[in-house]
Amino acid sequence: MRNLLHATDRDRLIAHLRSTLLREVTVGGRRFMALAEGAGADGGAFCAMPANAQAAELLAQPEIRDADPAFADGVLDFVMAMADAPLPCRRATVGGIELLRDDPRDFEILTPFHRFTGDLSAGLVRQQPRGDASAPLLHTGNLAEFRLGRYRNGVDVEDSIQDCAILRRGGSLVLRHESRITGKAGWLRPRQVEAGTLRYDYEIIAGSPVLRLTVTFTAAAGQRLSRLRISTAVDQLGTAGLEMAEGRLGSPAAWRDFAAPQAAGLSLWAEATPVPHVAIGLAGWPQGAPALHIRPQAPERVMSVKAIAARPAALHWLILRHGPATLAPGATLVVREDRLLAAGMVAEDAARMMGAVAESVSGLDLDPLPPQGVALNAVATHLLFAARRSYNVILPAERQAALENWFDRQMAALLAGAPSVADLAWAILAADTRLRAGAAAPVEALVPRLLALQGAQGAFPGDLAGHAMALLALARALAKGDPLLLAGPIGRALAAVKPGPAELREAGRMVVVEGLVLQGGTPGLLRGHAEALSLVARAAGTLALVAEQRPEALPAEVAEQARTLHRQAVALLRTLVRPRGAALEVVPSPLGGATHPAAQAAVALALMAPDTTILRLPVRA
């Protein structure tokens, strides 16, 4: 298909990336240029590697790179550095901790990851993912239990708070509340005595999404405590908009699942066994939904884990009890936990990544980053145009060698793993691009793996964006591949995409809009309306081009279906491109939302039709 994007409008789209989204970030102690997610008061907190890789493909186009090679090469350097990090993570952070209100009784704190509010005088710490309108998680509901002589005592921590403060510790902030704990004692005549002091410190760690909880109980002078048990709890889990329901306990060696409660009441998840990790999430653990991960630093000291439901299908209160301990007068018990509130992270990944906090990983979100096909494609695109001498600003030989070495390492890692549909599809594009640059690449190994994932109805598992990527990869493979192998799957994949009402969900809102729907795939366009439509347009346009170049490769009705789908997707895309001063901004969806570099780049690429240029370059032997 032809380029539908005038050079002036192309430059206005790129100007928005450069002027609004470009940031400096640190990865492994080195400074890089990268594109942030969003702009404005509550945007720009992250630079995501996959989104920057999509932008890097756009910036690799010859006229664009020649206009600003430092910009194009700088974004690509960030992409490669994120993949090469000792602990690859999906996003790097921009900014630090902002103390917006410093009153301990009504505080507000923003980090790149979360928003914290609450009242420390009531022992209440609320936590929400930044930019998420759903109900907050409540760190509260704690108890202290102990024996003084022959009397057993149980004390509500929050009812006993006497002091609270917000403290600075290096670049971190500590939210502290301290309670005076009293209890019944005496042998002949019972009396209330001071048992000790109990302090809860919630440390918001600079450059980390982990909230570190340290609980310190110090026995009063002259009092010996036995069977001391300290709880660490989260409360109000069944609030509308949060509705935590299921749990997982254990370690990478053995996990136990706990289904959503069928009735109100208490469930004992663990007792008298080490608890290295606790995870709670929404029923079914939906992709992108919040999940809380708790990692006790002394798993063997966790006496029990109890979950209390106030109604069916939702938890209310989760309690970890640590102990028992015997304290001599003036002695101290210290309990430590790391807590991670993250979107959609599975327990196995969280357990592995949270251990990295001890390794001083800073400025990364701990969302694990497997080898990315989209990054392979960005690097391959740079190498192709360098090999074909398409750049006026030459890529130095040492730079080309570094890109080639990086590509070979990452492709080998992707082949050795279990890549997603989208990663396999992007890797096929990357491999085809490397072939056209005269390098060896495993197209023949990747295509069968992708085809094996296609469902009986033609849909690839996941959402519309991933399905469109698979369709684009098959279109590129068809240009030189076997029509007998590929035409059938392509026809079924095209037929699975229909015009119709699409459900968009974002920040707790849902709206039905005119769009494209994947039959047999995940309901809704959960990865972004603009990005998904762009990938559909690019895939359908590439198929139509291949049908022109090789009429025998696709039945005429399939080629016409591709042309029709291309027109539909482009028409929907045009409504999402809007002026922003002298630049052009892509609105991620009809719901609005912060500018996203992946959507901005995907729309530009869909309209520019870069696959047309690449498919005109023959495969070199």
Side-chain angles (χ1 to χ4, degrees):
M1 302 300 286
R2 65 185 179 89
N3 183 353
L4 300 176
L5 190 61
H6 191 278
T8 302
D9 290 337
R10 176 202 68 200
D11 293 343
R12 293 176 70 193
L13 285 165
I14 293 164
H16 184 63
L17 291 173
R18 185 189 293 107
S19 64
T20 306
L21 303 183
L22 192 61
R23 303 286 191 274
E24 281 195 357
V25 295
T26 300
V27 180
R30 297 169 58 200
R31 300 291 292 176
F32 294 93
M33 291 191 299
L35 297 165
E37 296 179 3
D42 200 38
F46 293 106
C47 295
M49 186 272 222
N52 275 263
Q54 287 197 54
E57 183 194 9
L58 171 64
L59 299 176
Q61 305 306 308
E63 289 187 14
I64 298 174
R65 181 182 179 273
D66 285 339
D68 193 344
F71 180 31
D73 294 352
V75 171
L76 188 64
D77 284 340
F78 167 75
V79 169
M80 295 191 296
M82 290 289 282
D84 275 343
L87 189 78
C89 295
R90 193 166 298 273
R91 300 182 298 182
T93 64
V94 177
I97 299 173
E98 301 175 66
L99 182 56
L100 303 182
R101 292 198 305 273
D102 61 0
D103 182 354
R105 291 165 176 80
D106 182 23
F107 62 86
E108 182 177 6
I109 299 167
L110 276 182
T111 77
F113 310 95
H114 300 110
R115 176 175 180 260
F116 294 90
T117 58
D119 177 0
L120 294 176
S121 69
L124 177 62
V125 177
R126 305 185 194 94
Q127 182 182 13
Q128 292 169 282
R130 182 166 170 166
D132 192 336
S134 61
L137 184 78
L138 273 59
H139 302 274
T140 189
N142 300 294
L143 301 169
E145 302 166 276
F146 52 91
R147 291 183 68 100
L148 284 171
R150 64 190 181 96
Y151 290 102
R152 297 174 60 182
N153 293 272
V155 179
D156 185 304
V157 172
E158 285 75 29
D159 286 347
S160 307
I161 292 174
Q162 287 198 324
D163 192 18
C164 61
I166 299 174
L167 311 172
R168 291 195 178 272
R169 183 179 293 167
S172 301
L173 287 178
V174 177
L175 311 177
R176 171 175 292 178
H177 61 79
E178 187 167 288
S179 301
R180 177 175 174 266
I181 304 299
T182 62
K184 186 184 294 186
W187 291 102
L188 297 177
R189 182 179 298 173
R191 65 190 188 282
Q192 286 293 120
V193 300
E194 183 175 348
T197 57
L198 179 56
R199 187 174 70 232
Y200 281 71
D201 285 347
Y202 296 89
E203 183 181 2
I204 302 171
I205 304 169
S208 172
V210 170
L211 179 66
R212 177 159 289 163
L213 172 58
T214 302
V215 185
T216 306
F217 192 108
T218 303
Q223 297 296 340
R224 181 181 183 277
L225 283 72
S226 62
R227 295 198 58 78
L228 173 63
R229 291 153 290 176
I230 300 299
S231 78
T232 52
V234 283
D235 205 351
Q236 303 294 323
L237 297 171
T239 305
L242 185 64
E243 295 186 331
M244 297 285 190
E246 297 190 20
R248 295 200 81 196
L249 263 66
S251 68
W255 292 94
R256 288 180 294 155
D257 292 310
F258 297 88
Q262 300 299 305
L266 183 147
S267 298
L268 184 63
W269 285 1
E271 187 173 37
T273 183
V275 179
H277 193 98
V278 180
I280 53 173
L282 278 64
W285 303 92
Q287 184 179 7
L292 174 67
H293 301 273
I294 300 175
R295 182 183 173 93
Q297 292 197 5
E300 71 283 356
R301 297 301 300 270
V302 179
M303 292 179 60
S304 65
V305 179
K306 295 179 179 179
I308 297 174
R311 57 184 172 84
L315 300 174
H316 177 75
W317 193 17
L318 182 76
I319 310 166
L320 280 71
R321 295 165 74 233
H322 303 260
T326 298
L327 291 187
T332 297
L333 170 67
V334 179
V335 171
R336 293 187 175 91
E337 285 179 359
D338 284 343
R339 296 182 171 191
L340 174 61
L341 179 62
M345 190 182 297
V346 299
E348 291 88 341
D349 286 339
R352 175 169 57 89
M353 302 299 282
M354 288 175 74
V357 174
E359 305 299 326
S360 299
V361 173
S362 179
L364 300 176
D365 69 351
L366 300 188
D367 190 0
L369 182 79
Q372 297 288 295
V374 66
L376 287 166
N377 184 59
V379 171
T381 303
H382 277 77
L383 288 170
L384 172 65
F385 290 129
R388 296 294 179 139
R389 302 187 182 278
S390 301
Y391 293 140
N392 292 328
V393 181
I394 302 299
L395 213 63
E398 60 273 16
R399 171 73 170 176
Q400 291 189 50
L403 297 186
E404 289 168 355
N405 290 335
W406 184 94
F407 183 94
D408 291 341
R409 289 196 313 272
Q410 291 294 318
M411 179 62 84
L414 184 140
L415 287 168
S420 67
V421 167
D423 281 321
L424 275 173
W426 281 114
I428 290 170
L429 261 66
D432 177 71
T433 302
R434 291 296 288 136
L435 287 176
R436 294 173 190 278
V443 174
E444 293 183 356
L446 289 164
V447 170
R449 290 179 66 171
L450 180 62
L451 290 175
L453 299 176
Q454 189 175 25
Q457 299 180 50
F460 286 87
D463 58 12
L464 181 60
H467 179 85
M469 267 312 306
L471 195 54
L472 175 58
L474 296 179
R476 287 278 293 269
L478 181 64
K480 292 291 181 182
D482 182 1
L484 293 177
L485 174 67
L486 298 173
I490 287 172
R492 292 194 297 274
L494 270 175
V497 182
K498 306 282 189 185
E503 290 183 0
L504 300 182
R505 300 182 184 90
E506 184 177 310
R509 295 181 294 163
M510 190 275 282
V511 67
V512 177
V513 301
E514 179 187 1
L516 296 171
V517 179
L518 177 61
Q519 307 293 320
T522 302
L525 305 179
L526 303 182
R527 282 180 53 199
H529 190 62
E531 184 182 353
L533 292 176
S534 299
L535 292 171
V536 170
R538 184 173 172 183
T542 303
L543 274 174
L545 174 65
V546 173
E548 291 175 9
Q549 293 179 339
R550 298 185 67 192
E552 78 284 0
L554 284 177
E557 63 274 15
V558 174
E560 180 57 32
Q561 191 174 6
R563 287 189 284 270
T564 300
L565 186 59
H566 178 260
R567 290 193 295 269
Q568 292 167 338
V570 168
L572 290 166
L573 276 182
R574 292 189 187 280
T575 66
L576 301 176
V577 181
R578 301 173 187 177
R580 184 183 172 107
L584 287 177
E585 176 186 18
V586 173
V587 182
S589 82
L591 291 173
T595 303
H596 197 286
Q600 193 85 7
V603 169
L605 287 165
L607 298 176
M608 287 174 61
D611 305 280
T612 301
T613 302
I614 291 175
L615 288 172
R616 287 174 180 158
L617 300 174
V619 176
R620 286 181 169 176

